[in-house]
Amino acid sequence: MSRPEEEEAQLDEEMADDPDVEEPEDDGDDGDEDDGDEGEEGAATAAGSSGAAAVASSSKKAAKGIAKDKDAKEKKARSLQDRCNLTLPIGRITKQLKRGGYAKRVAVGGSVFLTSVIEYVTAEILELAGNAAKDQGKNRILPRHIQLAIRSDEELNKYMSNVTIAGGGVIPNVHSQFLPRKSGGKDAGGVEMSQEF
């Protein structure tokens, strides 16, 4: 460790051991200017012990630096998932990528990208399925709603063309040949025949 880091470590230990020592409040100034307030430093210099004042001022500045370092560490403590603003766990997807044996090494960026893509596709499907559930007057998304959502969207249908959803049912569709023909006056007597021979 370098000399300033050793001094900061000593100050941390001393402040932790001594219950009477309070951390100084940050009043917005950096300690470069003198406000005219006679504090510990002013009294010490007036008494003639300039060495004690220098130690007190350096410890005060170091204490402020320590407080700023703690705040910086708290800001850095955010997880990768929070920093990327994702809901799905990046660590689990990274672990599954490593376990799958797709490559010898897995980069962090790759797992973040894959996580964001999975989250986007999931959100898109759930949004469409929620709309399908609301259209049917339901509060709960069922597999049928997911099926209707995927098959009604052109891109999702193409992406999931080989996927079978259990309990999803089929898309309601009647072929045009099976629909009854409209009478055009061809038939004798105006009676509509169900089949032509």
Side-chain angles (χ1 to χ4, degrees):
M1 287 192 332
S2 65
R3 188 75 177 160
E5 291 174 358
E6 291 176 357
E7 290 175 4
E8 285 181 11
Q10 277 184 329
L11 285 172
D12 283 341
E13 292 174 4
E14 290 173 6
M15 291 176 75
D17 293 339
D18 193 4
D20 298 333
V21 176
E22 297 179 11
E23 291 189 14
E25 297 177 10
D26 190 8
D27 55 352
D29 66 343
D30 296 329
D32 296 335
E33 299 178 28
D34 191 16
D35 306 26
D37 295 342
E38 289 272 325
E40 295 175 0
E41 297 175 26
T45 20
S49 60
S50 61
V55 170
S57 67
S58 67
S59 66
K60 187 174 181 181
K61 288 180 183 177
K64 283 185 182 180
I66 292 168
K68 289 179 183 177
D69 288 343
K70 287 181 182 176
D71 293 341
K73 286 180 183 176
E74 289 175 5
K75 290 180 183 177
K76 289 181 183 177
R78 293 177 62 197
S79 68
L80 182 62
Q81 186 175 334
D82 292 339
R83 283 182 279 159
C84 295
N85 203 13
L86 292 173
T87 306
L88 296 179
I90 297 171
R92 287 187 186 184
I93 291 177
T94 305
K95 184 168 60 172
Q96 293 300 322
L97 281 173
K98 288 179 181 177
R99 225 184 250 172
Y102 304 108
K104 291 181 181 178
R105 296 164 55 179
V106 176
V108 176
S111 56
V112 169
F113 193 86
L114 181 62
T115 304
S116 62
V117 168
I118 292 171
E119 186 169 320
Y120 170 75
V121 172
T122 304
E124 191 73 24
I125 291 172
L126 286 176
E127 181 182 354
L128 294 172
N131 293 341
K134 279 185 183 176
D135 291 344
Q136 294 182 359
K138 306 282 185 176
N139 291 329
R140 184 179 298 155
I141 296 175
L142 300 174
R144 173 72 178 160
H145 303 135
I146 296 173
Q147 173 83 327
L148 291 173
I150 289 173
R151 301 305 168 206
S152 64
D153 188 67
E154 183 181 341
E155 293 175 345
L156 284 174
N157 188 27
K158 185 177 179 183
Y159 177 64
M160 303 184 89
S161 60
N162 296 327
V163 174
T164 302
I165 297 174
V170 295
I171 301 299
N173 185 22
V174 178
H175 201 277
S176 61
Q177 290 181 349
F178 299 128
L179 293 173
R181 293 184 184 177
K182 297 186 179 178
S183 61
K186 301 187 226 181
D187 298 330
V191 177
E192 190 174 322
M193 302 279 291
S194 63
Q195 297 179 354
E196 282 185 342
F197 296 101

